[in-house]
Amino acid sequence: NAGVMQNPRHLVRRRGQEARLRCSPMKGHSHVYWYRQLPEEGLKFMVYLQKENIIDESGMPKERFSAEFPKEGPSILRIQQVVRGDSAAYFCASSPGSEQYFGPGTRLTVT
Amino acid sequence: AQKITQTQPGMFVQEKEAVTLDCTYDTSDPSYGLFWYKQPSSGEMIFLIYQGSYDQQNATEGRYSLNFQKARKSANLVISASQLGDSAMYFCAMREGPGAGTASKLTFGTGTRLQVTL
């Protein structure tokens, strides 16, 4: 059973471009969480999704950020018009219910 | 108020010694879960140990044990017989809400950087 997959592992974008981060949960897991980790900080919750539904987006910035978890395919975290402050590690976690298993993260660098 | 507090930004321990990493939490929910994760320099988040609020005994996983003191709202991680490979950041996290089977976001502390020396 493969673990949580995230791609790309590293992503470089210029200011104003779009960033798309992908997360494939573990087989059988229907819950997906996205977290952001700024340098030298802990992880901060962004959004929690189940298949085709956003359950809790209380940690998502109001603008430029969106997330989806379609019926088929990976969960996508989309950041439009990136700014330098978006540079961070973005982690996805999947869960069958209670425990959360983290992917390796995507390190986004905005130049 | 911080929900998860880790007061030790950095700790040093000698190889083969035991070390305790502190974590206090704040919640009014009677049902919650406490987690510890290890983040080595490579960046991935590795689950170490879990303690449920209704668990009667302290959780243990190999060299890791969780010193759960409910009245004091503390959930300290104890690593016995430290190894060089234990050098990493350690994060305490809490899930609030009903017990096992309920999905809910995790709130993380700011972490403790552990350095194991020879």
Side-chain angles (χ1 to χ4, degrees):
Chain A
N1 188 7
V4 179
M5 312 271 284
Q6 286 189 252
N7 66 81
R9 294 292 305 276
H10 299 274
L11 182 61
V12 179
R13 285 287 178 265
R14 291 199 181 94
R15 279 180 296 170
Q17 291 185 319
E18 178 179 286
R20 282 189 178 229
L21 288 61
R22 293 174 184 76
C23 169
S24 296
M26 291 176 72
K27 189 176 180 181
H29 289 192
S30 59
H31 306 264
V32 166
Y33 301 79
W34 285 94
Y35 295 84
R36 176 165 66 176
Q37 185 180 30
L38 295 172
E40 303 301 317
E41 293 188 12
L43 278 68
K44 296 281 197 301
F45 167 77
M46 299 182 75
V47 63
Y48 160 39
L49 310 104
Q50 291 183 23
K51 283 285 186 183
E52 299 185 277
N53 288 306
I54 296 175
I55 307 301
D56 181 354
E57 57 181 346
S58 58
M60 285 279 268
K62 294 287 185 286
E63 296 176 348
R64 301 187 298 108
F65 285 72
S66 62
E68 62 177 10
F69 188 16
K71 189 176 179 181
E72 301 290 337
S75 175
I76 306 282
L77 179 68
R78 183 180 176 209
I79 311 172
Q80 295 178 291
Q81 299 175 310
V82 296
V83 302
R84 286 224 172 100
D86 297 333
S87 294
Y90 292 82
F91 288 91
C92 162
S94 77
S95 172
S98 181
E99 314 86 47
Q100 293 187 22
Y101 298 86
F102 282 82
T106 293
R107 271 127 192 103
L108 172 66
T109 302
V110 180
T111 62
Chain B
Q2 294 287 334
K3 284 186 178 283
I4 293 284
T5 302
Q6 294 181 255
T7 57
Q8 306 153 314
M11 290 280 287
F12 286 89
V13 64
Q14 273 196 321
E15 201 180 15
K16 299 187 179 68
E17 297 292 311
V19 63
T20 297
L21 306 184
D22 295 342
C23 174
T24 58
Y25 59 92
D26 183 28
T27 180
S28 56
D29 199 315
S31 297
Y32 53 89
L34 297 157
F35 301 77
W36 277 92
Y37 287 87
K38 173 184 178 181
Q39 187 176 43
S41 57
S42 51
E44 69 268 34
M45 294 290 288
I46 302 168
F47 166 74
L48 295 178
I49 196 166
Y50 166 78
Q51 180 85 43
S53 60
Y54 292 120
D55 292 345
Q56 295 295 315
Q57 294 193 328
N58 286 347
T60 60
E61 289 286 348
R63 293 186 299 110
Y64 304 109
S65 60
L66 202 152
N67 184 1
F68 182 44
Q69 298 189 42
K70 199 168 181 177
R72 296 180 61 187
K73 293 191 174 179
S74 74
N76 298 339
L77 177 71
V78 181
I79 306 174
S80 62
S82 296
Q83 302 172 356
L84 293 177
D86 294 334
S87 295
M89 281 290 284
Y90 288 81
F91 291 98
C92 179
M94 177 173 64
R95 181 208 71 231
E96 293 176 285
T102 297
S104 181
K105 65 188 179 188
L106 295 179
T107 301
F108 284 81
T110 51
T112 296
R113 186 174 298 279
L114 177 67
Q115 185 67 47
V116 180
T117 60
L118 291 169

